[in-house]
Amino acid sequence: MRHGSDEQPRHFTAPGDAPRVIDQGSVWILVAAPSIWAAHFLLSYWLAAIWCAKSGPMASLVEPRWIIVALGLISAALITWLGWIAVRRYGGVFVIFEEITESSERGRDRFIGHVALLLCVLSVVAIGFTVIPGLVFATC
Amino acid sequence: MTDEIDLSRLPPPEPYDQARDKAQRKRLMDAWREPPGWKIISAVNNSHIGKWYLLTSFAFFTFAGILALMMRAQLAVPGNDLLSQQLYNQLFTLHGTAMMFLFAVPIFEAVAILILPEILGARDLPFPRLSAFGFWCFVIGGIFVSGSIFFGVAPDGGWFMYTPLSSDPAYSGLGTDIWLLGLSFIEVSSIAAAVELIVGVLKSRPPGMRLNLMPLYCWYVLVVAGMILFAFPPLIAGDLLLEMERAFGWAFFDPDRGGDPLLWQHLFWIFGHPEVYIIFLPSIALIATMLPTFAGRPMVGHSWIVLSAVGVAFLSFGLWVHHMFTTGLPEISLSFFSAASEAVAVPTGIQIFCFIATMLVSKVRPSVPMLFAGGALAIFVFGGLTGVMVALVPFDWQAHDSYFVVAHLHYTLIGGMLFPLFAGIYYWYPFVTQKTFNARAGRWSFWLMFGGFNVAFLPMHWTGIMGMPRRVWTYDLSDGWAVLNMVSTIGAFIFAAGFAVLALNVLWPRGKAPLVERNLWNAGTMEWAAEVPDKPWGVRSIPYIHTRYPLWEQDGLIGEIDRGEWFLPDAEEGKRELIVTDILDARPLFVQRVGGPSFLTLGSAFCLGAVFILATFHLWTITLIFGAGFVGFTLWWLWTGTSLIPERPEKYAGRGLTLPTYAQGNRSPGWWAVFITMTGDMTAFMGLVFSYFFYWTALPDFLPSAAHLPGFGWLLLGLALLIGAWAMTTASRETLGHGRRRLSMALLIGALPVGALGIGAWGWSAYAKGLDPTVQSFDAMVWMLILWMGLHLLLNWVMHLYVAARVKFGHCTPEYRADLMNLTLFSHFLALTAVTIFALLALFPLMMGVGP
Amino acid sequence: MTGQLLRRGILLIGPALLAGCEGRHNWLASAGAEAQRVEDLFWVLLIGAVLIWCLVIGAAVYAHRRQVDPSLETQARRFILWGGAVFPTVVVGALLVWGLVILRDITADEGDLTVRVDGERWWWRVIYETPEGEVVTANEIRLPVDRTAFFRLTADDVIHSFWVPALGGKMDMIPGRETTLALTPVATGNWGGLCAEYCGGAHALMRFDTIVMEQEAFDAWLTAQAAPAEVAEGDPGLEIFQAEGCGACHTIRGTEAQGPVGPDLTHLASREKLGAGLYDITPETMARWITNTHAMKPDIDMPPYPDLQGDRLDRLVAFLMSLD
């Protein structure tokens, strides 16, 4: 008998398998898109803060500007890929006008897909907002 | 899943037998009965703790409200000398502090502890004694902080405690220490509640309640508790830095010694802005729960609301600098935060429009709760719109710290938090007391508060535009603010009168009034399935849920529950039992036994409270004695109440379902609690890491020359030893699994000296180079990181000895070793902390070219 | 200025608003170029906010009173999409861009004159940087009209915030850092200045006057401020000033009093106000300030001199009143 870390007392077998968080049908996709927004946001902020702190007032922001935009595009692409997974999970059609109340794993999976898709859209909008300051300011 | 139990095809229940029902009810009653008389203070059940929590929070609300009325009386006329400058400064500091820390956040926990288990059809939360512990911590800390005003030593640095006003003992006295230690203590209880609620939502759902069927309230609780976990710890880190500077003169915020006052503002607002949403979302959750009831139909856009809650939670962490728009940061930095502050309007708008859409396609029954919900909408939308204004940097440069912001924040908080909460109070009043409130008095309280609020706060926008700054105790007639202030004062007193009506209505003794009928609002959520009069066990049997609104969509459910046809209808062993389910699909995993009434949690909370209070007065010896008392009580509580080996490995739960009675690793709620707590702990640590990099960014010569860096060799040796200790802990888990108890114990105890040598090497690396925390911010930061590691190691040692003793006395065995698994999990986080500190102290300077 | 047109329009609506447009601390006084940019933004935001509020609350009231056919649920969901998601995104996106452009425009890195202001508990040390050197004064700032003044802001003890609402936004003064602010007054007058960041104790009583003058008058004033005090040899008031130890904290240029701690008093009587923008300077307020300081401004570091009475007090006051 193997004694892995999740091994349960060996007198019985529990119903179902181990709790699933990261595997199929799981919830990681819910936080993935907003996390990409958060990462882009923090990177942009740090980049500008360190750039301005280390190169003094009135330093040109042209280089950081394009880094921020490029990061924004990469993030948006990543989120689009997530959105594609979400749509597939949701059922492959871009229909957003229904409630998913079916009591089944499929129903739960579709629901998470739907919420994840909505979060993808929101995250892309928020990333767009973050890029705007990069375009407006040319100096620190 | 092939091995999944199909809950919809369970065997039919046994035929109803009145004698059996009666016997089962008696046994359940015996297990769940609360102690009589004064011993009731040892109760831990959620219905008691929740009620006490709620009443205590409202007591602090009333207290903070009276402080506000005193301030309004002082400002009613120009040049008033009713209150002194000193008292006024204490009043507004305490008003903000008490409203935020002693009312707004605890009330979320209070309401959630009270109704969440019932909405989940559960008998209690997974850690009832932890709820009780958190509650008593809150009471002690709250009284300590509030009571200071009666001795004239209340904090007077503003609820935001900006450094250096708060860090330099020349400018601030004992009040600041009371604020720091009292609130750190309360933050501990908030985090405890957050851990409890997250695990509650994830693991204590009724069988069958998949994520897509989970009520909106639970989504909000999950999101908000998660936010607490990431928002509060940075403030705890900040508190630690600030108290080290105040008590021991460590150089963190003093610019003359390489510190920076702005660091505090970052740490405070990384907490402070999510805090606003931590307050707002749970109240909106109440509306999202009661609106479908009065509309008589499910919420339109359920998944949109989940999107909005999760979206707001994330975006709210990108807003903190909008409290710092006027601190002279580069414009581009400000603008990122302006952008996020504007973006957060989008999910908030979605939330509001879901409510309106639900009302559009239904006929909403008029009622007092809906009246408050409507008032909340009117006020909150306006507050949201002024929020869009102040999120624009140039506008904020004018509005910031003026009465415009006072008006804005009260519109958002009273509209977004207080009015929905009052709606909830009226809505769940019959649920808690099983009596009806007086509807006429309810309407009176609404109109008085709604009218009074607008009279008080609408003119304040204009007062701000007229240039009145915040936190001033007096002004001159020539300033032109007199009429507006008088109007605001009148409004404030009308508002207070409305609250008095509400308080009377809620607290009015209704002993002889008839009981309400069951589910009197005809709601669809599970809490209304409770029997009238209510029973301490919550639900008679734990049902299988396969709809979003079970009381509407599962015919005959209440009868089935009452007849004990569902799970765990009995308490044969006289134990309090819950069903733990899995996160995604709520499949039953095992039967969890939870603790009953206990004085141990009280003793533990009392000792911890004493530690914080005595530390304020620097009475170190007695502090240590009470610290030992805290450790003692806590260990006693854990020893007798957690990870108990069951009398048999599984039990019959009813309807053909046999479930284990013990779980370990990531099936058990305890493991999740450790995981979640340590996530919060890592967030606090990240606050320190942020501080390190903040100094490096803000100060050109933060990193000293190689001669003044902690020794690389010693750091490396220390890391190796610390990792070695971690490896020994992990190995002890494996060896115990193989049945080698003695070796396992030896490894556990052996890890102590190895870890001690490791932290010793780190301490020496800094000491040998003469690093003095009172001289330079870099030195202070190095010592802080080592101290952080040391404190965690100390805690880890206590846990090692505890688990070794559990193994020795047979409470932790090769089969049942949840304690050791939880300890290992803790140690994983510790190893991660050690590696990160090594990277900061040894590798980063090397990377920047100043290393050896 | 659209803002001014709008303002005149709104002025007609109600006396309450009319009353609001007076006052020397008013953001909407149109006294500064930077304030005017924010004012334009404000009126658009205000009207937009009122409109949106009416629309949303109107929709809620309509939804409450009248039930739409439940089969139209799809329309209700469209309503969420367009009203709750798309509309706010467009509106706040546009506002964000406009706000950022204004921000870019109202910030500057230099001006026609540079003034250093240092926040102290609870008063203001003011230093004009002129080609001839520094001119030190306190608690009163005079500016030439239609010139951009560039403020370099610092603080010595705790955080303060420099705010002249009628001229433009505020900027914090932070120990260990220097922040900057550009203000361009466009209307002459005496505008109020305040400390906007809570700084403990007498925060409410930390004020200053901002007097906007024509260029010639300003130049004359600055020249006069640069000169040392005109004190007669052996002035009995100065002797009392020194005997009481006032010179340990205060500076009167041209005398032995060179204390660096408190406000510079070289041209005290030329100022409009006493005690950091609080009281008109008269012999009565001056005498009371010296003898009963903490009744006029609690908690400040200056000790009261209650024993200073009669003749000695009169002489000291007369001396201080002569410092113009």
Side-chain angles (χ1 to χ4, degrees):
Chain A
M1 178 165 257
R2 202 180 63 86
H3 285 270
S5 61
D6 295 336
E7 190 80 18
Q8 300 307 310
R10 55 185 132 160
H11 308 294
F12 55 84
T13 44
D17 52 3
R20 303 146 299 159
V21 184
I22 301 300
D23 63 355
Q24 54 83 32
S26 68
V27 286
W28 64 268
I29 195 166
L30 283 186
V31 290
S35 299
I36 293 174
W37 163 81
H40 174 254
F41 180 83
L42 283 178
L43 281 175
S44 305
Y45 165 62
W46 282 336
L47 177 68
I50 292 175
W51 188 275
C52 289
K54 299 292 171 198
S55 39
M58 297 319 294
S60 163
L61 276 172
V62 174
E63 294 93 334
R65 163 185 294 179
W66 296 117
I67 300 177
I68 289 167
V69 172
L71 279 174
L73 289 176
I74 295 169
S75 309
L78 268 175
I79 292 177
T80 311
W81 173 65
L82 284 173
W84 179 70
I85 299 179
V87 171
R88 260 204 337 191
R89 219 185 238 202
Y90 172 59
V93 252
F94 195 84
V95 186
I96 44 176
F97 292 129
E98 65 173 294
E99 295 293 344
I100 304 155
T101 55
E102 189 188 311
S103 173
S104 65
E105 285 199 13
R106 178 82 196 109
R108 182 255 303 157
D109 206 13
R110 288 182 62 212
F111 173 77
I112 290 173
H114 186 205
V115 177
L117 178 65
L118 295 177
L119 280 165
C120 286
V121 177
L122 179 68
S123 303
V124 167
V125 169
I127 288 174
F129 274 42
T130 310
V131 170
I132 293 175
L135 296 177
V136 171
F137 293 94
T139 56
C140 284
Chain B
M1 292 294 119
T2 46
D3 56 348
E4 190 183 355
I5 302 168
D6 189 348
L7 287 164
S8 58
R9 263 186 269 158
L10 291 169
E14 293 167 35
Y16 182 69
D17 172 353
Q18 199 169 0
R20 186 192 61 214
D21 186 24
K22 215 173 149 194
Q24 287 183 341
R25 280 172 176 266
K26 176 163 183 314
R27 282 194 290 270
L28 275 175
M29 185 58 106
D30 290 341
W32 289 89
R33 183 180 289 127
E34 292 302 347
W38 68 271
K39 286 187 181 164
I40 188 76
I41 57 168
S42 66
V44 297
N45 187 239
N46 77 296
S47 53
H48 280 86
I49 297 294
K51 232 180 284 181
W52 298 343
Y53 226 133
L54 198 69
L55 288 172
T56 316
S57 308
F58 266 109
F60 286 124
F61 171 77
T62 312
F63 168 74
I66 291 170
L67 302 184
L69 290 179
M70 289 167 72
M71 289 192 282
R72 280 316 323 167
Q74 163 68 16
L75 292 178
V77 288
N80 200 353
D81 58 0
L82 180 68
L83 305 178
S84 69
Q85 171 176 295
Q86 202 188 8
L87 179 60
Y88 189 91
N89 290 345
Q90 296 184 5
L91 288 181
F92 75 72
T93 301
L94 209 49
H95 169 74
T97 303
M99 283 295 188
M100 287 292 188
F101 293 98
L102 305 183
F103 172 66
V105 175
I107 201 88
F108 150 66
E109 289 150 9
V111 173
I113 287 174
L114 191 59
I115 66 176
L116 180 71
E118 324 288 343
I119 287 183
L120 291 175
R123 294 214 166 113
D124 206 332
L125 286 166
F127 313 109
R129 289 183 176 176
L130 185 64
S131 318
F133 172 76
F135 166 70
W136 290 108
C137 285
F138 163 61
V139 173
I140 296 167
I143 291 176
F144 176 55
V145 174
S146 312
S148 59
I149 189 101
F150 299 108
F151 300 93
V153 290
D156 61 356
W159 86 282
F160 41 85
M161 281 293 158
Y162 275 2
T163 54
L165 182 61
S166 62
S167 58
D168 190 333
Y171 306 134
S172 47
L174 187 61
T176 308
D177 296 308
I178 292 176
W179 188 93
L180 274 169
L181 289 162
L183 290 185
S184 303
F185 183 47
I186 291 168
E187 282 153 22
V188 170
S189 82
S190 294
I191 292 174
V195 171
E196 164 104 295
L197 294 172
I198 293 175
V199 179
V201 171
L202 293 181
K203 305 293 289 179
S204 296
R205 300 208 301 274
M209 189 189 271
R210 299 168 196 276
L211 283 180
N212 60 322
L213 304 177
M214 193 163 89
L216 287 171
Y217 184 74
C218 307
W219 275 106
Y220 279 104
V221 168
L222 182 62
V223 163
V224 172
M227 289 172 73
I228 289 182
L229 210 59
F230 289 100
F232 275 57
L235 182 59
I236 293 183
D239 285 353
L240 193 60
L241 300 186
L242 185 45
E243 192 53 38
M244 290 307 280
E245 171 149 350
R246 284 186 62 82
F248 305 110
W250 288 28
F252 290 113
F253 304 109
D254 178 359
D256 297 335
R257 293 182 285 157
D260 192 333
L262 271 195
L263 173 63
W264 170 259
Q265 296 195 16
H266 280 287
L267 291 174
F268 185 83
W269 291 116
I270 289 172
F271 146 80
H273 205 84
E275 154 92 343
V276 175
Y277 291 89
I278 288 171
I279 290 168
F280 161 68
L281 290 176
S283 286
I284 283 298
L286 301 181
I287 295 191
T289 310
M290 66 185 96
L291 181 64
T293 300
F294 292 106
R297 57 151 297 139
M299 180 69 79
V300 176
H302 188 96
S303 39
W304 286 82
I305 291 194
V306 176
L307 145 91
S308 138
V310 178
V312 166
F314 271 88
L315 290 175
S316 72
F317 281 86
L319 312 185
W320 84 83
V321 167
H322 81 207
H323 297 266
M324 301 165 61
F325 276 169
T326 62
T327 53
L329 299 179
E331 283 92 50
I332 184 160
S333 301
L334 302 181
S335 306
F336 291 131
F337 290 88
S338 179
S341 308
E342 296 292 356
V344 81
V346 176
T348 314
I350 291 173
Q351 206 155 245
I352 302 286
F353 273 73
C354 285
F355 295 163
I356 298 178
T358 307
M359 287 164 72
L360 262 180
V361 290
S362 63
K363 187 79 198 135
V364 179
R365 274 182 288 153
S367 65
V368 175
M370 277 297 103
L371 196 57
F372 273 95
L377 186 72
I379 295 172
F380 177 72
V381 170
F382 194 76
L385 289 164
T386 52
V388 169
M389 300 182 190
V390 292
L392 298 171
V393 182
F395 188 88
D396 187 68
W397 280 8
Q398 283 286 20
H400 181 72
D401 272 338
S402 79
Y403 262 81
F404 191 92
V405 170
V406 179
H408 158 71
L409 79 93
H410 283 92
Y411 263 80
T412 50
L413 290 181
I414 292 184
M417 182 269 171
L418 197 63
F419 270 63
L421 178 69
F422 287 154
I425 296 288
Y426 278 114
Y427 179 69
W428 278 288
Y429 179 82
F431 164 74
V432 175
T433 64
Q434 322 220 312
K435 304 285 163 64
T436 48
F437 56 84
N438 183 326
R440 218 178 118 176
R443 282 190 294 275
W444 266 95
S445 66
F446 170 76
W447 286 111
L448 280 172
M449 281 197 276
F450 186 75
F453 169 78
N454 283 296
V455 171
F457 290 96
L458 194 59
M460 272 188 203
H461 294 98
W462 209 256
T463 318
I465 289 168
M466 296 283 287
M468 181 158 167
R470 297 173 75 173
R471 301 164 187 132
V472 294
W473 66 281
T474 189
Y475 56 92
D476 193 69
L477 183 62
S478 66
D479 292 324
W481 306 326
V483 176
L484 290 163
N485 271 292
M486 177 54 99
V487 173
S488 290
T489 300
I490 293 169
F493 278 89
I494 297 173
F495 182 83
F499 177 70
V501 173
L502 181 140
L504 273 178
N505 200 0
V506 169
L507 297 177
W508 197 264
R510 295 197 165 88
K512 287 184 185 141
L515 292 176
V516 290
E517 58 182 305
R518 207 165 175 180
N519 194 5
L520 84 165
W521 303 114
N522 188 24
T525 41
M526 276 297 291
E527 79 274 25
W528 295 99
E531 290 176 56
V532 177
D534 64 344
K535 301 289 186 295
W537 58 67
V539 280
R540 171 75 179 79
S541 57
I542 300 164
Y544 163 55
I545 297 296
H546 53 86
T547 59
R548 275 186 192 165
Y549 298 88
L551 298 191
W552 288 343
E553 296 163 349
Q554 289 178 232
D555 283 338
L557 184 66
I558 287 186
E560 293 165 14
I561 293 172
D562 281 359
R563 290 191 296 274
E565 291 178 6
W566 286 106
F567 305 115
L568 294 184
D570 205 343
E572 298 95 332
E573 301 89 5
K575 298 209 161 103
R576 297 186 172 196
E577 292 174 328
L578 319 175
I579 290 188
V580 172
T581 53
D582 97 309
I583 294 174
L584 295 180
D585 291 316
R587 296 165 309 160
L589 290 180
F590 80 105
V591 173
Q592 186 199 3
R593 271 81 183 265
V594 298
S598 169
F599 282 100
L600 296 174
T601 44
L602 258 172
S604 178
F606 176 78
C607 287
L608 186 59
V611 167
F612 277 95
I613 292 169
L614 294 167
T616 310
F617 300 99
H618 297 193
L619 302 168
W620 301 119
T621 319
I622 333 180
T623 304
L624 276 179
I625 295 172
F626 275 99
F630 165 67
V631 174
F633 271 115
T634 310
L635 290 182
W636 188 0
W637 154 23
L638 295 175
W639 188 277
T640 54
T642 57
S643 304
L644 301 178
I645 297 177
E647 68 292 340
R648 54 204 158 102
E650 54 188 15
K651 76 171 274 177
Y652 184 64
R655 300 299 283 271
L657 191 65
T658 301
L659 291 174
T661 46
Y662 189 92
Q664 55 201 13
N666 65 8
R667 274 163 185 268
S668 80
W671 187 92
W672 281 96
V674 173
F675 182 81
I676 293 166
T677 311
M678 291 314 291
T679 308
D681 181 78
M682 285 307 275
T683 316
F685 177 60
M686 283 301 134
L688 297 182
V689 175
F690 171 88
S691 307
Y692 183 93
F693 284 110
F694 176 83
Y695 285 129
W696 173 73
T697 313
L699 310 166
D701 46 3
F702 172 63
L703 290 178
S705 62
H708 298 286
L709 285 172
F712 188 90
W714 287 108
L715 284 174
L716 191 61
L717 176 69
L719 178 70
L721 288 165
L722 288 167
I723 294 295
W726 164 76
M728 288 169 79
T729 312
T730 312
S732 92
R733 183 192 66 189
E734 295 306 313
T735 47
L736 184 66
H738 288 99
R740 302 169 68 180
R741 290 179 47 223
R742 284 177 171 282
L743 179 58
S744 172
M745 277 161 63
L747 282 167
L748 279 175
I749 294 172
L752 266 58
V754 176
L757 286 174
I759 195 75
W762 276 13
W764 178 253
S765 75
Y767 183 77
K769 291 292 185 78
L771 267 63
D772 182 347
T774 60
V775 171
Q776 262 298 322
S777 57
F778 178 80
D779 302 9
M781 207 61 235
V782 170
W783 278 112
M784 191 71 231
L785 289 167
I786 295 175
L787 180 70
W788 182 263
M789 190 70 214
L791 288 174
H792 280 70
L793 216 52
L794 210 59
L795 180 61
N796 200 26
W797 291 341
V798 174
M799 292 160 80
H800 271 81
L801 292 174
Y802 172 82
V803 175
R806 296 284 282 185
V807 175
K808 165 113 181 97
F809 291 99
H811 295 299
C812 187
T813 66
E815 278 81 30
Y816 298 98
R817 55 199 159 95
D819 288 324
L820 188 46
M821 286 190 176
N822 294 348
L823 171 63
T824 318
L825 180 63
F826 181 91
S827 302
H828 291 340
F829 279 95
L830 225 56
L832 190 60
T833 307
V835 170
T836 314
I837 293 177
F838 178 76
L840 286 183
L841 299 188
L843 300 182
F844 183 71
L846 208 61
M847 240 170 70
M848 290 295 125
V850 285
Chain C
M1 284 280 140
T2 42
Q4 280 164 322
L5 279 177
L6 282 166
R7 194 176 109 236
R8 288 201 188 103
I10 283 184
L11 284 189
L12 299 173
I13 294 172
L17 292 183
L18 183 75
C21 289
E22 293 158 4
R24 53 198 290 268
H25 307 292
N26 193 338
W27 313 349
L28 309 178
S30 297
E34 290 79 10
Q36 279 176 348
R37 293 299 302 273
V38 178
E39 196 181 334
D40 294 347
L41 183 64
F42 171 73
W43 290 112
V44 172
L45 287 172
L46 178 67
I47 291 167
V50 169
L51 276 178
I52 293 173
W53 188 85
C54 290
L55 281 174
V56 174
I57 300 305
V61 170
Y62 175 83
H64 182 64
R65 299 199 161 226
R66 177 178 286 247
Q67 183 184 1
V68 174
D69 183 354
S71 65
L72 294 178
E73 202 179 304
T74 306
Q75 268 80 343
R77 286 166 196 282
R78 292 235 161 84
F79 175 70
I80 298 173
L81 175 64
W82 292 101
V86 177
F87 177 72
T89 307
V90 173
V91 171
V92 297
L95 285 177
L96 174 66
V97 174
W98 192 26
L100 295 186
V101 169
I102 293 181
L103 175 65
R104 193 181 60 189
D105 293 351
I106 64 174
T107 46
D109 351 284
E110 55 185 10
D112 302 316
L113 78 159
T114 302
V115 187
R116 281 182 8 227
V117 185
D118 185 41
E120 306 270 349
R121 280 167 42 117
W122 292 272
W123 60 279
W124 315 81
R125 191 189 299 276
V126 181
I127 301 166
Y128 286 81
E129 290 181 356
T130 68
E132 291 79 38
E134 293 180 345
V135 180
V136 181
T137 175
N139 297 332
E140 184 178 282
I141 291 170
R142 298 201 181 214
L143 299 173
V145 71
D146 294 327
R147 297 283 188 278
T148 298
F150 184 67
F151 290 94
R152 291 168 52 197
L153 307 170
T154 53
D156 190 43
D157 39 35
V158 302
I159 299 175
H160 303 277
S161 188
F162 178 88
W163 190 26
V164 188
L167 301 187
K170 61 181 70 64
M171 186 54 68
D172 292 355
M173 313 164 104
I174 302 168
R177 288 175 176 246
E178 184 182 89
T179 51
T180 61
L181 180 70
L183 293 177
T184 313
V186 294
T188 56
N190 183 342
W191 306 104
L194 311 150
C195 175
E197 183 60 78
Y198 176 65
C199 48
H203 161 65
L205 303 176
M206 186 170 168
R207 306 277 195 98
F208 61 95
D209 284 331
T210 314
I211 299 166
V212 180
M213 317 164 84
E214 296 298 341
Q215 181 74 52
E216 299 79 41
F218 172 78
D219 290 340
W221 172 81
L222 192 58
T223 311
Q225 292 289 313
E230 289 172 21
V231 182
E233 195 65 33
D235 185 316
L238 177 62
E239 276 169 17
I240 298 167
F241 187 86
Q242 287 296 71
E244 294 291 339
C246 306
C249 292
H250 295 284
T251 296
I252 299 175
R253 276 177 278 131
T255 73
E256 285 176 6
Q258 295 291 332
V261 181
D264 184 293
L265 302 180
T266 308
H267 299 283
L268 172 65
S270 76
R271 296 176 200 152
E272 302 261 317
K273 289 278 170 51
L274 179 66
L278 296 182
Y279 304 96
D280 289 334
I281 293 191
T282 66
E284 291 74 37
T285 53
M286 190 74 83
R288 190 155 171 251
W289 181 268
I290 295 166
T291 55
N292 205 356
T293 323
H294 291 180
M296 296 178 85
K297 190 163 174 175
D299 293 350
I300 61 172
D301 287 340
M302 176 170 157
Y305 292 81
D307 299 336
L308 199 60
Q309 292 295 344
D311 216 27
R312 278 170 65 81
L313 181 62
D314 292 345
R315 287 213 187 109
L316 179 60
V317 169
F319 164 69
L320 291 171
M321 293 302 290
S322 74
L323 296 172
D324 54 3

